Amino acid sequence: MGGVCREVVTLQLGHFSNFTGTHWWNLQDASLCYDADLPLGELQSDVLFREGLTLGGHVTYTPRLIALDLKGSLQTLKQEGSLYATGQDSSAFTWQGEIMTHKESPPDKNVFLQDLDRLDNGELLAEPDFSPPAAAAGRCSGGAVAIETVNSALERVQKSYMLEGSVRVWSDFLRLHLHPRTISVIHQYNHDGESARLEVFGQGEALLQGSVLEELEDRLHFFIEECDYLQGFQVLCDIADGFSGFGSKVTELLQDSYGGRGILTWGVAPVTHRDSSPIKELYHMMNYALGTVHMANHSSFFCPLTLRGGLGRRPAPPIAFPLVNYDPSLWYHSSSILALALDTMTASFRLRHNSTPMWQLADALTLSGRKVVCAYGSVPFPMMHGSSLPDSLQACGEVLPWKPLSACPEQADGRCFSQSVTLRGLEEQNLVSPLVPGTEPASPLHCAQSGEEVLDMYMRSHYPSTPLAVQLVSSPSKLTPPFPQIFSPILDSQGLIENQTPRTAMAVSSLPVLTCVQSSVGVGQMLAELQKCSSAVDLRRLAPSFLSQGPEPADFTESLEQLRSLASRYRDDSGGTLRSSSEEEEDD
């Protein structure tokens, strides 16, 4: 039997958070199993999904999710969704007066959404690639009984969608149905346009009151009251715009109302903004700084997630991955990489057996008040077809296989306080190297008896004195339409490197991924750099409107002092003080 299901409520605050979250939920949807004859999977989907019932008596299985965005951000998606439609006939209304009808053309749907509509209408279900299994209902991987949704049929579609030119908002590539209480639209601010934009921290702070607060509390109560063993909240929050301030108030609400539960906050930021300008880039940096210190105060941990090369005014180039060809300017691309990493980093508190609850993970990573952590990812993990984990790690040499996902520098000199490492997507026979009698093992890694021992030994060779938690999940992240095909042509369909270059590139349907969440000196360097850059700006001269909408100048100064104090906690073992990389440069 599986262990107790400890439920999680997810909140997505802001447009890029919903981009990342949509990819993440698509990955979860792809991993659901509807065949009752198959064994239960390693990950317990009931942690994230809830079972419900429509008015027509149909069983549903939807994310335990609250997603907030601005007016105009949904495009073709209905706020209440379509899964629980009542089918009420408009003829029930008895208005006898004169009626004038104004019709507005709906937004155009891309080819993926058109296919979803056709599946909803049953038009394609008779075709061989779309036909459902004999038993349409069965047991999900989480143990719940649910109907096979129309989106699950897409798993059998061998169709490649090229949506780079047609994705405008996150709902343009959403695969699964959402509960009517999931989406909440903030009507005070516009998603697009020149007016009523949610651009600064103070605007977001002031939002969580009145009807916005009441609606959020109502949705929280709805999802929480049906949980038996709520372990906590996963919060994805935009940190470049006013949602930085909104998320600070939301995490404060969660901390005040549900103390003792885990609150894992991921502050997400895109590489670029299409309507950016020098003054808006300045706003973004200030929002990063204020959001980081406030959300860290109110969360079990706070982890920035971004492919930017830094959060200051002069960031390094975007993060490059050896086996990925992505366009950093496309949110559809960059958010997919972050979602893949997040899918692996969050596996530890979703495991069916021997899971690590949210609060336990956070406590292990935030010793001595170091509430900000950083993430690294190898997406995909570079594994040759037919090789083993020891072979792959040895091939990396002295260079760690992952890239920064939190705008932190790479640290390979052992200056780390604690870390959690997760490897996903390698089968048991690939985790160790078979010993051949009469031959010398290629390295100590090749002598290990289990995958956990291999990974533990490798990490301790780089971080010999750092507390370490290692998790291995054999099931890979499954990539189904419309996940972007951004991977190197040398990868096979399982995301492994071909021994020889294939004649034609094939679609990658699954990936091995290695991630690390750690508390390190690198976090302190990032925080110190952000604090220094923010303190050097004369807001009253360069950006008076930032302060005119809050916070007060004294509060702003106090927040930057808190950020400086937080950075100072990440001193190295010798007690030396941290220095930002720009400390010796002259200010502009």
Side-chain angles (χ1 to χ4, degrees):
M1 295 293 292
V4 172
C5 176
R6 297 185 176 95
E7 302 95 341
V8 171
V9 175
T10 300
L11 293 91
Q12 294 165 195
L13 314 176
H15 206 60
F16 190 68
S17 293
N18 282 312
F19 260 79
T20 306
T22 296
H23 278 303
W24 192 78
W25 286 108
N26 285 350
L27 292 170
Q28 310 315 308
D29 180 65
S31 69
L32 296 178
C33 175
Y34 295 90
D35 190 339
D37 296 327
L38 293 177
L40 295 175
E42 297 168 277
L43 299 179
Q44 196 169 15
S45 61
D46 283 350
V47 171
L48 302 172
F49 287 81
R50 61 176 298 280
E51 186 178 335
L53 205 63
T54 68
L55 294 176
H58 297 294
V59 179
T60 63
Y61 203 55
T62 53
R64 196 177 292 107
L65 166 68
I66 301 171
L68 288 96
D69 216 324
L70 305 179
K71 184 171 64 175
S73 63
L74 301 184
Q75 297 287 324
T76 62
L77 180 65
K78 295 180 180 178
Q79 181 175 344
E80 70 280 2
S82 59
L83 198 58
Y84 288 73
T86 63
Q88 185 180 30
D89 189 346
S90 61
S91 63
F93 297 98
T94 57
W95 171 255
Q96 300 296 321
E98 188 175 321
I99 297 176
M100 181 178 294
T101 302
H102 297 273
K103 287 189 176 181
E104 182 178 348
S105 299
D108 293 332
K109 292 188 175 184
N110 60 42
V111 62
F112 168 70
L113 295 180
Q114 291 173 24
D115 280 354
L116 281 184
D117 286 345
R118 296 171 69 192
L119 283 167
D120 272 328
N121 294 329
E123 294 180 25
L124 298 182
L125 295 180
E127 296 185 9
D129 283 344
F130 290 86
S131 56
R139 186 175 56 181
C140 294
S141 60
V145 177
I147 60 170
E148 180 178 38
T149 66
V150 69
N151 292 319
S152 301
L154 284 174
E155 293 184 20
R156 294 178 297 280
V157 182
Q158 302 303 314
K159 184 171 182 178
S160 178
Y161 294 94
M162 305 294 290
L163 301 183
E164 281 73 9
S166 61
V167 167
R168 300 157 297 179
V169 295
W170 51 270
S171 60
D172 285 337
F173 58 97
L174 178 68
R175 280 173 47 94
L176 70 171
H177 285 294
L178 301 176
H179 190 274
R181 290 180 183 254
T182 281
I183 299 175
S184 179
V185 175
I186 297 173
H187 292 279
Q188 291 94 319
Y189 292 98
N190 294 320
H191 163 63
D192 250 331
E194 297 297 324
S195 61
R197 301 299 301 275
L198 186 63
E199 294 181 327
V200 302
F201 183 89
Q203 291 174 306
E205 266 197 319
L207 258 181
L208 197 61
Q209 57 183 317
S211 61
V212 175
L213 175 60
E214 291 173 6
E215 186 172 332
L216 176 60
E217 289 181 326
D218 177 66
R219 292 168 190 267
L220 281 169
H221 293 157
F222 173 80
F223 286 112
I224 290 171
E225 287 173 358
E226 63 185 14
C227 295
D228 295 321
Y229 301 97
L230 176 70
Q231 64 169 305
F233 305 89
Q234 175 174 257
V235 181
L236 277 71
C237 181
D238 286 17
I239 56 173
D241 57 20
F243 273 105
S244 177
F246 185 76
S248 298
K249 285 299 185 181
V250 169
T251 51
E252 183 179 4
L253 170 68
L254 295 177
Q255 184 185 56
D256 291 344
S257 303
Y258 306 98
R261 310 294 184 183
I263 305 173
L264 306 189
T265 303
W266 310 90
V268 299
V271 176
T272 62
H273 293 78
R274 65 180 181 181
D275 58 349
S276 190
S277 66
I279 192 64
K280 288 185 179 180
E281 288 297 326
L282 197 63
Y283 285 178
H284 296 161
M285 184 178 69
M286 299 302 172
N287 292 328
Y288 298 148
L290 294 174
T292 295
V293 69
H294 285 277
M295 282 188 268
N297 286 340
H298 303 139
S299 303
S300 303
F301 75 49
F302 174 82
C303 181
L305 279 184
T306 183
L307 300 184
R308 288 174 58 93
L311 299 181
R313 298 180 68 180
R314 295 183 293 272
I319 304 302
F321 299 86
L323 298 173
V324 177
N325 303 311
Y326 80 104
D327 183 345
S329 68
L330 291 180
W331 290 18
Y332 175 56
H333 279 187
S334 60
S335 62
S336 71
I337 298 172
L338 297 179
L340 272 172
L342 189 64
D343 188 33
T344 299
M345 290 187 290
T346 58
S348 61
F349 61 79
R350 298 187 283 129
L351 288 170
R352 187 174 303 280
H353 301 287
N354 302 317
S355 66
T356 302
M358 280 181 160
W359 59 84
Q360 186 175 326
L361 173 65
D363 286 349
L365 289 170
T366 58
L367 300 174
S368 303
R370 303 183 190 101
K371 299 284 287 293
V372 179
V373 297
C374 61
Y376 296 87
S378 180
V379 184
F381 178 67
M383 181 90 166
M384 291 288 294
H385 187 83
S387 69
S388 66
L389 177 59
D391 295 332
S392 300
L393 292 175
Q394 186 187 28
C396 296
E398 295 300 314
V399 180
L400 288 163
W402 50 54
K403 297 292 183 180
L405 301 176
S406 299
C408 287
E410 296 186 55
Q411 297 291 327
D413 54 6
R415 297 193 298 167
C416 180
F417 305 109
S418 59
Q419 57 186 331
S420 174
V421 177
T422 305
L423 175 63
R424 183 169 187 188
L426 294 187
E427 297 179 355
E428 188 173 352
Q429 64 268 24
N430 300 122
L431 295 176
V432 296
S433 178
L435 295 177
V436 180
T439 62
E440 189 73 19
S443 73
L445 296 177
H446 290 76
C447 300
Q449 301 297 306
S450 67
E452 287 87 351
E453 186 180 349
V454 171
L455 201 51
D456 185 275
M457 188 183 303
Y458 175 77
M459 292 305 303
R460 294 195 186 283
S461 69
H462 288 278
Y463 302 96
S465 60
T466 299
L468 170 68
V470 170
Q471 297 88 25
L472 268 69
V473 180
S474 62
S475 60
S477 293
K478 294 177 63 178
L479 311 184
T480 51
F483 196 93
Q485 287 296 321
I486 54 178
F487 304 103
S488 168
I490 68 173
L491 297 181
D492 65 12
S493 60
Q494 276 71 52
L496 303 178
I497 302 172
E498 290 276 19
N499 294 322
Q500 54 186 357
T501 304
R503 295 179 182 176
T504 57
M506 61 180 66
V508 176
S509 59
S510 65
L511 278 181
V513 176
L514 175 67
T515 61
C516 175
V517 181
Q518 66 178 217
S519 173
S520 69
V521 170
V523 176
Q525 293 173 340
M526 180 270 288
L527 296 176
E529 181 86 11
L530 184 57
Q531 189 271 340
K532 182 179 185 299
C533 291
S534 300
S535 298
V537 176
D538 184 352
L539 281 180
R540 289 173 176 165
R541 182 174 64 87
L542 295 177
S545 60
F546 189 92
L547 292 176
S548 68
Q549 301 180 80
E552 295 294 329
D555 294 334
F556 179 74
T557 302
E558 181 183 351
S559 294
L560 293 185
E561 177 58 27
Q562 289 181 27
L563 187 60
R564 187 203 61 77
S565 176
L566 181 60
S568 70
R569 296 175 186 172
Y570 297 82
R571 300 178 185 272
D572 61 25
D573 294 335
S574 64
T577 56
L578 294 168
R579 293 174 64 84
S580 68
S581 62
S582 62
E583 195 150 357
E584 298 178 356
E585 297 178 10
E586 292 184 359
D587 294 334
D588 289 340

